[in-house]
Amino acid sequence: MSTSRLRRALGALLALGLTGGTVLAASTAAADTAASDNQWTDSSGLTADAHGHHPDGVAVTPTAGETASAVTSTAAAWSLLGPPGGDIYDTAVSTADPKIVLAGYAPGGGFNGGLYRSGDGGATWSEAPALRGRSVFAIEFTAGGTAYVGTQDGVWRSNDGGLTWVAGNLNIGLNDQVLSVAVDPVNPSVLWAGIASGLGAQKVNLMRSADGGVTWTNRTPAMGAALSGRAIAIDPNDPNTVIVAFDAGQVWVTRDSGVTWTKRSAGLPNSPLFDIGYDGTRLLVGGGQLFSNQYLGLYQSTDLGVTWTPLHNSSWPTPVVHGIAVDPHDRDTILVTTAGTGVHRTTNGGATWEISVGGTDTLTGRSIRFAPGNSRQVILGTDTQAVFRSTDGGTSFAQSSNGIAEIDLRSIHVNPRDPNEMAIAFQGQNTGGVYSTIDGGATWKREPVPPTRYGAVRFAPDGTLHALSNGPTTVAQEGLYRRGGDGSWTVLGPDQGAYYESDLTTIRFSRTNPDLIVLAGADFGYAGTEATIWRTLDRGQTWAKVHEGPSGQAALDVEIVDNTDQEMIASINDRSGAYASSILRSEDGGTSWFTSMIGLSGRYMNPYLCASSHNPHVVYLAAWTTSSSTGVYRSLDGGVTWESTGWTSNAAVADLACDPADGRTLYVSLNTDPRVVRSTDAGTTFSPFDSGIQGVRQPRTLTFAGASRLLLATAKGSYATNLDRDTITVGTSVRRDRGQLLVDLTWQGATSVDVDIYRDGTLVGTVPNDGAHTDPIDVQGRGTATYQVCRADSSICSAKTTVAYGGPPA
């Protein structure tokens, strides 16, 4: 039994030994709770439980190296393709003008987000430049229309409906992420702010301002530990009474504006709270998260938190609530937004519920609000798909994210049979999906895949679309999915068990054999943490794990480097940070693998591969040589031996792509400016190729739409640029010299060092690109010859030119 299989068996026994207790939700048993107490790190670098759930909240710090540098691109002109979307954490409609709507963006609940503003009720959006790069977690308007937002950097104020912003200063140090804001309904100069705990480093978790946010004082209850202030409610009849919801299911109440506090958490689960509402009589709190089955749901109290009663019931798929909205004209009508099951609605105070109303069944909502004084207009902020609107009180919702370009893409690919058909894979914390387009990105369609995270999409050579799901498995099985001719999707596997056990990120197809598919990634959770390569010889009906490497590693990339599917290479990434990555090679169709590192000196990590489209034995490797340095290597024998091209960069590589039309041209995406660089000399030198994408967040996959368009997936959507191909023109003349027939060729427009000369489709010479060449023809009699001049090692060629020679005049 392999190490991972033994660990999986022991894990299963452990889970069985810990079963027992009550059912937490309609479809989830306490056995899953025990299993989910275990935690691992997945391919995204985030903590995940046994089912692949990520935790909610401020979970990441700003990405190192993501700042822009002073590099000017000399080529390319990238433009945004979309699709629209992003992780919207809060939304609010102005109290002064219902056409003004604000939406706070926080990618994955972390940093480097921003704010979007709409002036037409949410139909279209534009980014607020002042808050670009600062995640916005909370939005509140005063009765007079002044807007306050809680950001990763304190509280900001706008007096003109969100057009311009002024920063406030909490004076509590760098950990000043504001997760909640409340405005005194009587005195708009009095503000409250809930502060993130900063993983325990920030002890000031609640603050009050009496002068509109100019100065602040600490009002944190004596909780004994730092807990994030998630939501704040102020009694509309007595503004000295304030209720605050914190992590760990804690609710605290003050009746004297924060001088003294009383804990009112008895009866609530020990799970994160995310929203709170109080009308002077009924107190509502919602919370919970999928991670480790930390369920909570929706609770109410009619005695200011002394006692609590659950309002959710067994009809709810999962008791996890992120947002609460009460109809301004009917307190018995409540909307809540949940994790992965959309919006639930009650019209009788919680006695019964309508589940996933308005077509929201796959959405993870973060915020839901009625427009001020309007029972019909509802605005919903969601993970990955940004903003939805309802004009009928929640009976129906429609996406309204035009202009919000913040969707976190992990992969992009193009149908090899149609350069206008492409697909993208995207992710949120615990949700995601696949979009496709058949018009080059002008319009997008969401594919009906299960609403899990997706790490890769790829079209097979015959045009069939595939996608890799990265869990969570409480929603759908992880693994490879395939789109059928009717548009439906089928899971192909591999499936190692009930939990999230295959963390796969790479798909490769044979160029000639439609039955051969290779997947790469790592085992996860109870299956272990080993690098894995999987292979199917029957289009996914059955799978074999053909490689299982050491723990703490992942197979990052795979290339088939011959035309018989026998020779393959794979890059193995060391996740430990020790820069002990490696290259594997197979010579038996992927059945067995061995290390192939000749010529690769030193340490590196995050190794990406690409094979030349003109000679698959010519393979390139780009990898981090340090945390902020990239090197490029080349193999001329299918990965048997390697050599450095000599080029290095002080940025970290995100992907490597070989030009399909030019075997000497490479593209590399980087995590700092220039975001994309290009080499036209087989990796020896590179130049910036990122006009229009300077500073774009987290560039990832590069791919080609035909031979004339380059695409890039980023954490801010997809981008495209047209490639500047040479236009080569050729002139010919025929002569004889001492009986030898000679064809004199001249050409213009080629920019390569060398050019290839083709006669009648056969390469007859590779010569310097000096604009002239004489081709001797050893023939007698009369005939014709057809010539082309091409950039060396590419398919960028002139038009065909035919010359006649020999014999008497016709």
Side-chain angles (χ1 to χ4, degrees), residues 653-693:
V653 62
D655 196 20
L656 169 68
C658 291
D659 194 306
D662 187 342
R664 294 176 59 83
T665 296
L666 310 174
Y667 297 87
V668 175
S669 57
L670 301 167
N671 73 338
T672 59
D673 286 341
R675 266 15 189 208
V676 175
V677 294
R678 178 177 67 175
S679 171
T680 58
D681 54 12
T684 303
T685 61
F686 283 83
S687 58
F689 198 74
D690 69 335
S691 178
I693 54 171

Side-chain angles (χ1 to χ4, degrees), residues 547 570 583-588 592-597 639-640:
H547 174 75
I583 300 297
L584 301 181
R585 179 173 161 83
S586 174
E587 296 178 350
D588 54 12
S592 61
W593 296 81
F594 56 90
T595 303
S596 185
M597 299 282 289
V640 177

Side-chain angles (χ1 to χ4, degrees), residues 510-810:
S510 165
R511 299 180 183 90
T512 58
N513 180 6
D515 291 335
L516 173 62
I517 308 173
V518 179
L519 305 179
D523 283 342
F524 183 84
Y526 291 128
T529 60
E530 299 87 359
T532 57
I533 301 174
W534 293 81
R535 183 187 63 175
T536 177
L537 300 176
D538 53 19
R539 299 195 192 193
Q541 295 183 56
T542 60
W543 293 90
K545 186 188 290 187
V546 292
H547 174 75
E548 187 171 21
S551 295
Q553 297 188 352
L556 186 63
D557 216 345
V558 175
E559 292 288 348
I560 300 174
V561 295
D562 73 344
N563 294 318
T564 65
D565 297 327
Q566 292 302 297
E567 297 180 55
M568 305 180 186
I569 59 173
S571 62
I572 305 298
N573 185 39
D574 175 27
R575 293 178 173 178
S576 71
Y579 289 82
S581 300
S582 61
I583 300 297
L584 301 181
R585 179 173 161 83
S586 174
E587 296 178 350
D588 54 12
T591 302
S592 61
W593 296 81
F594 56 90
T595 303
S596 185
M597 299 282 289
I598 298 174
L600 291 174
S601 59
R603 302 182 304 158
Y604 61 94
M605 64 183 295
N606 289 345
Y608 293 88
L609 300 166
C610 74
S612 168
S613 59
H614 296 273
N615 181 356
H617 269 92
V618 177
V619 187
Y620 296 89
L621 164 68
W624 298 14
T625 52
T626 69
S627 61
S628 60
S629 179
T630 289
V632 174
Y633 302 84
R634 176 174 52 226
S635 174
L636 304 179
D637 51 18
V640 177
T641 61
W642 298 87
E643 63 181 5
S644 172
T645 66
W647 180 80
T648 60
S649 169
N650 61 357
V653 62
D655 196 20
L656 169 68
C658 291
D659 194 306
D662 187 342
R664 294 176 59 83
T665 296
L666 310 174
Y667 297 87
V668 175
S669 57
L670 301 167
N671 73 338
T672 59
D673 286 341
R675 266 15 189 208
V676 175
V677 294
R678 178 177 67 175
S679 171
T680 58
D681 54 12
T684 303
T685 61
F686 283 83
S687 58
F689 198 74
D690 69 335
S691 178
I693 54 171
Q694 293 94 339
V696 71
R697 188 174 56 256
Q698 293 180 319
R700 293 191 175 106
T701 308
L702 290 161
T703 195
F704 296 89
S708 61
R709 202 177 188 206
L710 180 62
L711 307 177
L712 174 67
T714 78
K716 195 178 168 63
S718 65
Y719 292 80
T721 184
N722 293 325
L723 299 174
D724 49 340
R725 300 299 190 191
D726 292 348
T727 301
I728 305 173
T729 57
V730 176
T732 60
S733 62
V734 180
R735 60 187 172 91
R736 285 190 179 272
D737 183 4
R738 289 174 287 191
Q740 174 70 63
L741 181 65
L742 303 175
V743 178
D744 292 323
L745 302 168
T746 58
W747 64 86
Q748 294 179 338
T751 59
S752 54
V753 175
D754 298 319
V755 296
D756 292 334
I757 308 295
Y758 288 86
R759 184 202 319 135
D760 296 328
T762 301
L763 178 65
V764 295
T766 299
V767 301
N769 181 19
D770 56 13
H773 175 70
T774 298
D775 180 38
I777 303 179
D778 186 15
V779 296
Q780 300 295 326
R782 185 170 56 189
T784 62
T786 300
Y787 285 90
Q788 270 187 303
V789 176
C790 302
R791 283 179 56 114
D793 193 20
S794 80
S795 58
I796 303 172
C797 300
S798 68
K800 294 180 179 179
T801 301
T802 301
V803 298
Y805 59 81

Side-chain angles (χ1 to χ4, degrees), residues 256-520:
D256 52 17
S257 294
V259 177
T260 60
W261 290 91
T262 303
K263 185 178 180 181
R264 296 283 175 84
S265 305
L268 292 175
N270 186 27
S271 297
L273 294 169
F274 287 109
D275 204 3
I276 191 168
Y278 187 52
D279 60 7
T281 302
R282 181 184 61 190
L283 177 61
L284 298 173
V285 296
Q289 62 178 338
L290 297 175
F291 179 73
S292 293
N293 293 339
Q294 296 179 46
Y295 300 131
L296 191 140
L298 180 69
Y299 281 76
Q300 75 169 356
S301 174
T302 56
D303 51 16
L304 206 58
V306 176
T307 59
W308 294 95
T309 303
L311 282 189
H312 59 274
N313 58 36
S314 61
S315 70
W316 288 35
T318 52
V320 175
V321 170
H322 292 137
I324 306 168
V326 179
D327 188 324
H329 299 300
D330 179 6
R331 71 189 302 269
D332 286 333
T333 296
I334 307 170
L335 303 179
V336 297
T337 187
T338 67
T341 56
V343 176
H344 304 341
R345 179 174 64 181
T346 179
T347 57
N348 52 20
T352 59
W353 288 89
E354 301 169 82
I355 304 301
S356 304
V357 296
T360 63
D361 52 296
T362 63
L363 297 177
T364 290
R366 294 290 172 176
S367 165
I368 190 164
R369 304 264 195 131
F370 284 93
N374 189 332
S375 295
R376 307 288 293 173
Q377 191 80 22
V378 183
I379 188 161
L380 169 66
T382 73
D383 275 2
T384 71
Q385 295 188 73
V387 177
F388 286 72
R389 289 189 300 167
S390 174
T391 58
D392 52 17
T395 300
S396 61
F397 283 89
Q399 188 176 12
S400 185
S401 305
N402 185 23
I404 301 179
E406 303 290 355
I407 191 166
D408 188 359
L409 303 191
R410 299 306 173 107
S411 176
I412 186 168
H413 201 245
V414 179
N415 188 341
R417 297 192 169 191
D418 181 358
N420 286 316
E421 182 178 8
M422 61 188 70
I424 59 94
F426 66 96
Q427 294 189 9
Q429 280 182 316
N430 293 301
T431 187
V434 174
Y435 276 101
S436 64
T437 175
I438 58 174
D439 53 18
T443 60
W444 293 88
K445 168 194 170 185
R446 188 172 185 192
E447 292 287 338
V449 294
T452 56
R453 297 185 300 266
Y454 287 84
V457 287
R458 199 167 187 92
F459 289 90
D462 66 359
T464 303
L465 180 59
H466 296 69
L468 273 177
S469 168
N470 299 129
T473 55
T474 52
V475 178
Q477 178 191 325
E478 81 273 28
L480 186 65
Y481 284 72
R482 179 177 63 206
R483 186 176 66 180
D486 61 354
S488 64
W489 288 78
T490 302
V491 62
L492 303 180
D495 183 15
Q496 299 194 83
Y499 298 108
Y500 181 57
E501 295 168 307
S502 296
D503 193 15
L504 302 172
T505 57
T506 301
I507 313 167
R508 287 295 179 268
F509 299 100
S510 165
R511 299 180 183 90
T512 58
N513 180 6
D515 291 335
L516 173 62
I517 308 173
V518 179
L519 305 179

